[in-house]
Amino acid sequence: MQDEVNTKVVAIAIKGGKITAEVLDKALKKFVEEIEKAQKTASQPKTYRGKQSIKHLVEQNAAISNIEVTDGNIKSFERTASKYGIDYALKKDTSEQPPRYLVFFKGRDVDVMTQAFKEFSAKTVKQKDQPSLRRKLSRQQDQSKKQQREKAKVKSKDRGVEL
């Protein structure tokens, strides 16, 4: 029974016109290399980046801080956070009305996080100040209609002969 457990069978598929000892040797070396690479990656714990769960953030053994956000448009913050390379976790608190959001991040990222929030808030304020594209388009359409009417009036005016 023990001999059966210790013995492992491996199947390798090789495409080729003619299988020589050299080709077989290269295939086996490549196979061993892939196994070693898989063992190295399996031994290292997976590191998460960007948005993640609170559990994964705590597993990284760093002090965690949080910021309360009441804005429902938290999705647009993700772009700014990924730009700055911040590891963070979002938690929605539904016990209050309207619901508030808590952004958890590593304690060492405090300065980076404040800069990201400054940029994010400046961007949202700028977007609110700009008129919408549809309103601009409708104004331009109204102006062009007025200009067309004025051109039509000028064409239809009687030009009298002056003596």
Side-chain angles (χ1 to χ4, degrees):
M1 182 73 172
Q2 190 174 11
D3 292 332
E4 292 176 21
V5 173
N6 290 338
T7 306
K8 294 183 181 179
V9 177
V10 178
I12 300 175
I14 303 171
K15 283 187 178 181
K18 188 175 181 183
I19 305 289
T20 62
E22 187 178 323
V23 172
L24 187 60
D25 186 40
K26 285 183 181 179
L28 290 174
K29 285 181 181 177
K30 180 73 173 172
F31 177 72
V32 170
E33 184 180 303
E34 290 294 325
I35 289 176
E36 289 173 354
K37 187 191 305 182
Q39 287 175 346
K40 284 182 183 178
T41 57
S43 65
Q44 297 173 349
K46 184 175 182 195
T47 56
Y48 294 92
R49 297 282 177 227
K51 185 178 179 181
Q52 52 193 285
S53 68
I54 295 175
K55 179 182 174 185
H56 291 143
L57 197 63
V58 170
E59 285 176 355
Q60 294 178 8
N61 295 331
I64 295 179
S65 302
N66 67 352
I67 293 178
E68 180 181 337
V69 179
T70 55
D71 186 20
N73 193 11
I74 197 68
K75 190 77 172 170
S76 59
F77 170 71
E78 292 179 9
R79 234 182 258 133
T80 308
S82 65
K83 176 182 173 183
Y84 282 93
I86 299 171
D87 298 336
Y88 66 98
L90 288 174
K91 182 71 176 167
K92 184 177 181 180
D93 185 13
T94 56
S95 63
E96 296 180 11
Q97 197 59 310
R100 61 183 189 153
Y101 295 89
L102 296 172
V103 180
F104 293 92
F105 56 94
K106 294 179 185 176
R108 65 173 188 252
D109 293 342
V110 172
D111 296 334
V112 177
M113 191 69 167
T114 54
Q115 181 62 32
F117 262 111
K118 283 180 186 177
E119 182 180 322
F120 171 69
S121 60
K123 189 194 305 185
T124 53
V125 167
K126 186 178 177 183
Q127 285 177 348
K128 288 180 182 177
D129 290 344
Q130 291 179 345
S132 74
L133 193 59
R134 290 184 180 182
R135 288 186 192 141
K136 281 183 179 180
L137 184 60
S138 65
R139 281 193 219 128
Q140 291 294 330
Q141 286 176 342
D142 292 340
Q143 287 178 355
S144 66
K145 286 179 183 177
K146 287 179 184 177
Q147 288 176 352
Q148 290 291 339
R149 288 182 197 143
E150 290 175 9
K151 286 181 181 179
K153 286 181 184 178
V154 170
K155 285 183 179 179
S156 64
K157 267 189 182 177
D158 292 333
R159 298 186 189 263
V161 179
E162 294 183 22
L163 296 172

